[in-house]
Amino acid sequence: MALQTARQMFSVDSVDFTETRMFLLGSVQAVLTAILFGLIFFLVAATRIVTLEPAPESAILSILLGVVPAVVFGAGLPYLVQRREYFNRLNNSVPARAVITSVTLGTYVGLFFYHPATSLIYAVVYLLSRIVILVGIYGSSRIKARLA
């Protein structure tokens, strides 16, 4: 019964971040992703699988490896879901959402093995870009509504 209620509450026909409900759900998703990043960081750090000893060969490459995928996954995907019907319909698919979440978290873990600092850059930029795009889409719709 509770599972069915949760499905009804979180299921949508179409994602529209200009609506307050979807904006809040997107914000909750960002918070949950931040918690997952923290848990993964704690687990990897506690098991000492990765050490900070070897510095990356190139600081610029390390930063780019953290920033570029973070912006693509953090801001690019919500933008495409909001603006393109194909991505909006694809986002309603449970397997597609599972793949997107797996790729997002898998990139974080993979960057951890490259260098932990790169994974932290990825996590911070991902969360900031996700918040900025959600606030931008929602805020611009509110501004347009007020001016109209």
Side-chain angles (χ1 to χ4, degrees), residues 7-81:
R7 279 187 188 157
Q8 289 173 350
M9 192 166 72
F10 291 110
S11 68
V12 292
D13 294 330
S14 175
V15 176
D16 185 8
F17 291 118
T18 61
E19 297 173 358
T20 303
R21 178 175 176 261
M22 287 309 302
F23 171 73
L24 292 175
L25 285 174
S27 300
V28 167
Q29 182 185 17
V31 169
L32 292 175
T33 304
I35 292 169
L36 279 173
F37 284 155
L39 287 173
I40 292 170
F41 179 85
F42 176 75
L43 289 173
V44 172
T47 57
R48 298 181 190 261
I49 295 172
V50 177
T51 63
L52 284 172
E53 295 304 319
E57 293 179 13
S58 170
I60 294 173
L61 177 64
S62 181
I63 291 170
L64 286 175
L65 281 175
V67 170
V68 172
V71 171
V72 169
F73 296 141
L77 288 177
Y79 178 81
L80 289 174
V81 166

Side-chain angles (χ1 to χ4, degrees), residues 4 9 74 94 96-97 101 112 145:
Q4 186 178 17
M9 192 166 72
V94 173
R97 281 188 272 167
T101 302
F112 231 109

Side-chain angles (χ1 to χ4, degrees), residues 64-118:
L64 286 175
L65 281 175
V67 170
V68 172
V71 171
V72 169
F73 296 141
L77 288 177
Y79 178 81
L80 289 174
V81 166
Q82 180 68 27
R83 300 288 183 223
R84 304 283 185 243
E85 183 63 33
Y86 172 76
F87 290 102
N88 196 331
R89 283 185 280 121
L90 188 62
N91 191 53
N92 289 332
S93 162
V94 173
R97 281 188 272 167
V99 167
I100 290 168
T101 302
S102 298
V103 168
T104 300
L105 296 176
T107 303
Y108 177 69
V109 170
L111 289 173
F112 231 109
F113 287 101
Y114 175 72
H115 197 269
T118 304

